[in-house]
Amino acid sequence: MNNELPQFKVTLGIMPNYADTKDGMLIDGVSENRPAALAGIKAGDVLKRIGTCEVSEIYSYMDCLSRVNPGDQLPVIVARDGEEITLNVQF
């Protein structure tokens, strides 16, 4: 079994909430001028998917992010106010 942490080539620029919700990952904060903020992601959004990679909690988020390359533009799905919103993120 591989216990190495994923290697990240990109950043989304969010502060994740580490609570395990199993239904996405709550975003506690968004850094200015980073990919998430530039795409319109806001604190309080629940991250559900990066491209085709489903996010259910912090560990799946890290796995999804480790698959993204600099320059990739991917649809990111967040839940906001009970609705799912798709935003295009340039990494």
Side-chain angles (χ1 to χ4, degrees), residues 26-66:
L26 179 63
I27 298 170
D28 278 347
V30 179
S31 301
E32 286 184 34
N33 298 316
R34 305 299 306 159
L38 297 173
I41 295 172
K42 300 178 181 180
D45 287 350
V46 177
L47 182 62
K48 308 281 271 184
R49 186 178 293 270
I50 298 173
T52 59
C53 189
E54 195 165 327
V55 175
S56 55
E57 32 50 31
I58 186 72
Y59 301 105
S60 57
Y61 164 68
M62 291 190 299
D63 180 56
C64 291
L65 201 60
S66 72

